[in-house]
Amino acid sequence: MKLGHPDIHWHKLRRDQIAALAAAGAVPLLPFGAIEQHGPHLPLDTDTDAATAVCERAAALLTASAEEGELAAVVLPPIWWGLSPYWMGFPGTLTLRPETILALISDIGASVARHGFRRLVIVNGHGGNEGIIGVAATQLADHGLRAHALSYWSLIPDELRANARHDGGGIGHAGEVETSIALHRQPDRVAPLPAATACTDLAALAAAPFAAVGYAPPDPATDAPTGVYGRADAGRADLGQLVLDRAADQLAAFVRHLARPAR
Ligand SMILES: [Zn+2]
């Protein structure tokens, strides 16, 4: 199936190309991130950039194979801002209210559905958004969309455990993994990495009583005075590339899986 769309980005296509994608059952991917402080060393858009990169790489993989009859994907403009109230004490953070986020995703989903798409995958890049993306996906059913919500790191738990050992396979915040991604994606914007002593140790946090029970938002005042969860000093560009590439492989595999006939 030759879909004739030269770009994977929704907003770079023409209306006839969007119509062709909808008719072919293509899956829109919605990157969702945050604009928030990322320690003294990383740019504010680290999460949005990571989620967008995973979507772009997955869509490129899918589009290459779509010409052989498989499902294509198209990347919607990212939702730049997320739920980050706990980082407002640091300069630069822009946070949305939960109701704003739900309205935003609902309106985007309604528009996508109106143009004939039946699925949507929300690809999240910010830990603080994890609680709300499930609600957003549930609401999208109101528009006839079958939505899935995931965070890119949840696609590759084994790879993270094997390769991001300083942080125990966790995503953290501005720690080993996110520092690695920024070093891979935008090294010129990364300041000298903080020392290990300036980073909150995720292993110590995880070992605290009841740490694995339920959810509590980050509390910089008690947990992370420098705004860094995880070993930023262990960041390395090759790990960043590995994480994004493997997550994109898995996202592409997931979209192909969605295309299988229902049983
Ligand atoms: Zn982040």
Side-chain angles (χ1 to χ4, degrees):
M1 182 190 314
K2 187 81 176 159
L3 293 170
H5 70 300
D7 203 300
I8 53 170
H9 297 99
W10 177 285
H11 50 289
K12 295 294 186 187
L13 298 172
R14 297 186 309 267
R15 66 189 197 190
D16 58 298
Q17 293 168 321
I18 292 289
L21 282 170
V27 177
L29 308 176
L30 177 60
F32 181 25
I35 300 298
E36 61 179 20
Q37 79 82 24
H38 270 81
H41 61 302
L42 300 184
L44 301 170
D45 77 339
T46 295
D47 296 351
T48 303
D49 182 70
T52 304
V54 170
C55 290
E56 289 174 339
R57 291 178 193 198
L61 290 169
L62 289 160
T63 299
S65 61
E67 294 179 7
E68 295 151 26
E70 287 190 314
L71 209 59
V74 59
V75 183
L76 288 158
I79 299 180
W80 288 85
W81 324 267
L83 188 62
S84 314
Y86 41 82
W87 293 132
M88 287 301 287
F90 294 90
T93 303
L94 304 173
T95 189
L96 299 183
R97 287 168 288 159
E99 54 267 40
T100 306
I101 293 170
L102 289 172
L104 197 53
I105 294 177
S106 179
D107 286 357
I108 292 166
S111 302
V112 164
R114 175 73 183 271
H115 300 310
F117 294 88
R118 289 291 164 259
R119 292 187 184 276
L120 180 75
V121 181
I122 300 168
V123 179
N124 173 46
H126 165 50
N129 292 341
E130 284 201 297
I132 205 163
I133 57 175
V135 179
T138 303
Q139 283 189 330
L140 289 176
D142 293 346
H143 306 299
L145 273 183
R146 179 90 169 101
H148 298 264
L150 57 89
S151 297
Y152 71 82
W153 54 87
S154 68
L155 293 162
I156 49 167
D158 296 342
E159 287 89 342
L160 288 176
R161 261 193 301 277
N163 295 289
R165 295 209 181 102
H166 293 89
D167 286 352
I171 188 66
H173 175 75
E176 184 178 15
V177 175
E178 290 190 339
T179 299
S180 296
I181 289 171
L183 285 171
H184 164 53
R185 291 276 296 172
Q186 39 187 348
D188 293 349
R189 299 193 182 97
V190 178
L193 306 185
T197 49
C199 303
T200 295
D201 181 8
L202 291 183
L205 274 187
F210 300 103
V213 175
Y215 173 77
D219 182 0
T222 59
D223 295 345
T226 65
V228 177
Y229 282 88
R231 288 281 303 278
D233 61 301
R236 54 210 187 272
D238 61 334
L239 174 62
Q241 175 161 10
L242 178 92
V243 167
L244 295 184
D245 284 348
R246 292 290 88 76
D249 287 344
Q250 286 300 107
L251 180 57
F254 176 62
V255 171
R256 288 193 190 103
H257 173 80
L258 292 179
R260 298 188 321 172
R263 280 186 282 180

mmCIF file of all heavy atoms in Angstrom, residues 4-23:
data_model
loop_
_atom_site.group_PDB
_atom_site.id
_atom_site.type_symbol
_atom_site.label_atom_id
_atom_site.label_comp_id
_atom_site.label_asym_id
_atom_site.label_seq_id
_atom_site.Cartn_x
_atom_site.Cartn_y
_atom_site.Cartn_z
ATOM 1 N N GLY A 4 1.783 7.403 0.049
ATOM 2 C CA GLY A 4 2.180 8.670 -0.529
ATOM 3 C C GLY A 4 2.271 9.801 0.463
ATOM 4 O O GLY A 4 1.943 10.933 0.146
ATOM 5 N N HIS A 5 2.695 9.500 1.697
ATOM 6 C CA HIS A 5 2.929 10.617 2.606
ATOM 7 C C HIS A 5 4.412 10.697 2.914
ATOM 8 O O HIS A 5 5.012 9.800 3.473
ATOM 9 C CB HIS A 5 2.053 10.559 3.858
ATOM 10 C CG HIS A 5 2.403 9.479 4.815
ATOM 11 N ND1 HIS A 5 2.371 8.160 4.490
ATOM 12 C CD2 HIS A 5 2.778 9.542 6.108
ATOM 13 C CE1 HIS A 5 2.714 7.439 5.537
ATOM 14 N NE2 HIS A 5 2.971 8.247 6.536
ATOM 15 N N PRO A 6 5.004 11.798 2.479
ATOM 16 C CA PRO A 6 6.451 11.927 2.544
ATOM 17 C C PRO A 6 6.944 12.325 3.927
ATOM 18 O O PRO A 6 8.140 12.400 4.148
ATOM 19 C CB PRO A 6 6.744 13.040 1.541
ATOM 20 C CG PRO A 6 5.511 13.897 1.579
ATOM 21 C CD PRO A 6 4.365 12.967 1.862
ATOM 22 N N ASP A 7 6.074 12.598 4.834
ATOM 23 C CA ASP A 7 6.495 13.067 6.156
ATOM 24 C C ASP A 7 5.689 12.318 7.209
ATOM 25 O O ASP A 7 4.513 12.015 6.996
ATOM 26 C CB ASP A 7 6.255 14.580 6.284
ATOM 27 C CG ASP A 7 7.140 15.205 7.350
ATOM 28 O OD1 ASP A 7 7.034 14.808 8.527
ATOM 29 O OD2 ASP A 7 7.940 16.083 6.994
ATOM 30 N N ILE A 8 6.297 12.042 8.337
ATOM 31 C CA ILE A 8 5.611 11.315 9.405
ATOM 32 C C ILE A 8 4.846 12.259 10.327
ATOM 33 O O ILE A 8 4.137 11.809 11.204
ATOM 34 C CB ILE A 8 6.615 10.492 10.244
ATOM 35 C CG1 ILE A 8 7.740 11.408 10.731
ATOM 36 C CG2 ILE A 8 7.158 9.326 9.430
ATOM 37 C CD1 ILE A 8 8.639 10.785 11.751
ATOM 38 N N HIS A 9 5.015 13.556 10.127
ATOM 39 C CA HIS A 9 4.388 14.531 11.022
ATOM 40 C C HIS A 9 3.018 14.963 10.489
ATOM 41 O O HIS A 9 2.912 15.461 9.371
ATOM 42 C CB HIS A 9 5.279 15.768 11.174
ATOM 43 C CG HIS A 9 6.600 15.451 11.807
ATOM 44 N ND1 HIS A 9 7.738 15.271 11.075
ATOM 45 C CD2 HIS A 9 6.942 15.256 13.095
ATOM 46 C CE1 HIS A 9 8.750 14.990 11.888
ATOM 47 N NE2 HIS A 9 8.294 14.968 13.114
ATOM 48 N N TRP A 10 2.023 14.797 11.322
ATOM 49 C CA TRP A 10 0.641 15.171 10.981
ATOM 50 C C TRP A 10 0.584 16.572 10.379
ATOM 51 O O TRP A 10 -0.028 16.808 9.334
ATOM 52 C CB TRP A 10 -0.186 15.100 12.267
ATOM 53 C CG TRP A 10 -1.610 15.512 12.154
ATOM 54 C CD1 TRP A 10 -2.100 16.789 12.045
ATOM 55 C CD2 TRP A 10 -2.759 14.642 12.163
ATOM 56 N NE1 TRP A 10 -3.465 16.771 11.992
ATOM 57 C CE2 TRP A 10 -3.894 15.472 12.069
ATOM 58 C CE3 TRP A 10 -2.936 13.271 12.264
ATOM 59 C CZ2 TRP A 10 -5.187 14.955 12.070
ATOM 60 C CZ3 TRP A 10 -4.226 12.758 12.264
ATOM 61 C CH2 TRP A 10 -5.327 13.580 12.161
ATOM 62 N N HIS A 11 1.248 17.525 11.058
ATOM 63 C CA HIS A 11 1.115 18.939 10.698
ATOM 64 C C HIS A 11 1.918 19.313 9.453
ATOM 65 O O HIS A 11 1.825 20.442 8.994
ATOM 66 C CB HIS A 11 1.515 19.826 11.881
ATOM 67 C CG HIS A 11 2.829 19.465 12.494
ATOM 68 N ND1 HIS A 11 3.005 18.325 13.241
ATOM 69 C CD2 HIS A 11 4.030 20.092 12.483
ATOM 70 C CE1 HIS A 11 4.259 18.257 13.660
ATOM 71 N NE2 HIS A 11 4.896 19.312 13.210
ATOM 72 N N LYS A 12 2.690 18.394 8.921
ATOM 73 C CA LYS A 12 3.444 18.674 7.696
ATOM 74 C C LYS A 12 2.776 18.073 6.459
ATOM 75 O O LYS A 12 3.263 18.243 5.338
ATOM 76 C CB LYS A 12 4.870 18.123 7.809
ATOM 77 C CG LYS A 12 5.716 18.786 8.877
ATOM 78 C CD LYS A 12 5.982 20.245 8.530
ATOM 79 C CE LYS A 12 6.941 20.870 9.526
ATOM 80 N NZ LYS A 12 7.076 22.328 9.299
ATOM 81 N N LEU A 13 1.675 17.373 6.677
ATOM 82 C CA LEU A 13 0.979 16.723 5.560
ATOM 83 C C LEU A 13 -0.128 17.633 5.015
ATOM 84 O O LEU A 13 -0.524 18.607 5.649
ATOM 85 C CB LEU A 13 0.395 15.390 6.021
ATOM 86 C CG LEU A 13 1.448 14.371 6.485
ATOM 87 C CD1 LEU A 13 0.782 13.156 7.098
ATOM 88 C CD2 LEU A 13 2.346 13.968 5.325
ATOM 89 N N ARG A 14 -0.612 17.222 3.835
ATOM 90 C CA ARG A 14 -1.772 17.910 3.269
ATOM 91 C C ARG A 14 -3.036 17.141 3.646
ATOM 92 O O ARG A 14 -2.995 15.995 4.074
ATOM 93 C CB ARG A 14 -1.659 17.989 1.750
ATOM 94 C CG ARG A 14 -0.483 18.800 1.220
ATOM 95 C CD ARG A 14 -0.594 18.900 -0.306
ATOM 96 N NE ARG A 14 -0.783 17.605 -0.925
ATOM 97 C CZ ARG A 14 0.216 16.844 -1.379
ATOM 98 N NH1 ARG A 14 1.456 17.254 -1.290
ATOM 99 N NH2 ARG A 14 -0.045 15.664 -1.919
ATOM 100 N N ARG A 15 -4.199 17.774 3.405
ATOM 101 C CA ARG A 15 -5.449 17.137 3.819
ATOM 102 C C ARG A 15 -5.707 15.833 3.075
ATOM 103 O O ARG A 15 -6.253 14.885 3.648
ATOM 104 C CB ARG A 15 -6.609 18.113 3.653
ATOM 105 C CG ARG A 15 -6.917 18.488 2.225
ATOM 106 C CD ARG A 15 -7.928 19.621 2.181
ATOM 107 N NE ARG A 15 -8.533 19.726 0.859
ATOM 108 C CZ ARG A 15 -9.310 20.737 0.481
ATOM 109 N NH1 ARG A 15 -9.563 21.725 1.313
ATOM 110 N NH2 ARG A 15 -9.836 20.764 -0.720
ATOM 111 N N ASP A 16 -5.300 15.762 1.785
ATOM 112 C CA ASP A 16 -5.522 14.521 1.043
ATOM 113 C C ASP A 16 -4.666 13.387 1.615
ATOM 114 O O ASP A 16 -5.070 12.220 1.610
ATOM 115 C CB ASP A 16 -5.210 14.731 -0.443
ATOM 116 C CG ASP A 16 -3.787 15.199 -0.686
ATOM 117 O OD1 ASP A 16 -3.437 16.298 -0.202
ATOM 118 O OD2 ASP A 16 -3.013 14.460 -1.322
ATOM 119 N N GLN A 17 -3.497 13.742 2.103
ATOM 120 C CA GLN A 17 -2.614 12.718 2.674
ATOM 121 C C GLN A 17 -3.154 12.216 4.020
ATOM 122 O O GLN A 17 -3.066 11.025 4.334
ATOM 123 C CB GLN A 17 -1.202 13.299 2.827
ATOM 124 C CG GLN A 17 -0.565 13.579 1.463
ATOM 125 C CD GLN A 17 0.708 14.407 1.563
ATOM 126 O OE1 GLN A 17 0.800 15.329 2.370
ATOM 127 N NE2 GLN A 17 1.690 14.067 0.750
ATOM 128 N N ILE A 18 -3.721 13.124 4.806
ATOM 129 C CA ILE A 18 -4.348 12.709 6.070
ATOM 130 C C ILE A 18 -5.542 11.800 5.777
ATOM 131 O O ILE A 18 -5.734 10.768 6.433
ATOM 132 C CB ILE A 18 -4.793 13.938 6.882
ATOM 133 C CG1 ILE A 18 -3.572 14.726 7.369
ATOM 134 C CG2 ILE A 18 -5.691 13.526 8.043
ATOM 135 C CD1 ILE A 18 -2.760 14.056 8.465
ATOM 136 N N ALA A 19 -6.338 12.165 4.785
ATOM 137 C CA ALA A 19 -7.501 11.335 4.437
ATOM 138 C C ALA A 19 -7.068 9.932 4.017
ATOM 139 O O ALA A 19 -7.698 8.932 4.390
ATOM 140 C CB ALA A 19 -8.299 12.010 3.316
ATOM 141 N N ALA A 20 -5.965 9.856 3.270
ATOM 142 C CA ALA A 20 -5.475 8.546 2.825
ATOM 143 C C ALA A 20 -4.998 7.717 4.012
ATOM 144 O O ALA A 20 -5.229 6.506 4.078
ATOM 145 C CB ALA A 20 -4.342 8.730 1.812
ATOM 146 N N LEU A 21 -4.344 8.378 4.944
ATOM 147 C CA LEU A 21 -3.879 7.660 6.137
ATOM 148 C C LEU A 21 -5.060 7.134 6.947
ATOM 149 O O LEU A 21 -5.031 6.002 7.441
ATOM 150 C CB LEU A 21 -3.017 8.590 7.003
ATOM 151 C CG LEU A 21 -1.585 8.814 6.528
ATOM 152 C CD1 LEU A 21 -0.937 9.936 7.338
ATOM 153 C CD2 LEU A 21 -0.766 7.534 6.655
ATOM 154 N N ALA A 22 -6.080 7.960 7.114
ATOM 155 C CA ALA A 22 -7.256 7.518 7.871
ATOM 156 C C ALA A 22 -7.915 6.319 7.184
ATOM 157 O O ALA A 22 -8.277 5.340 7.840
ATOM 158 C CB ALA A 22 -8.251 8.671 8.010
ATOM 159 N N ALA A 23 -8.041 6.406 5.851
ATOM 160 C CA ALA A 23 -8.676 5.313 5.111
ATOM 161 C C ALA A 23 -7.876 4.024 5.220
ATOM 162 O O ALA A 23 -8.440 2.924 5.174
ATOM 163 C CB ALA A 23 -8.835 5.721 3.642
#
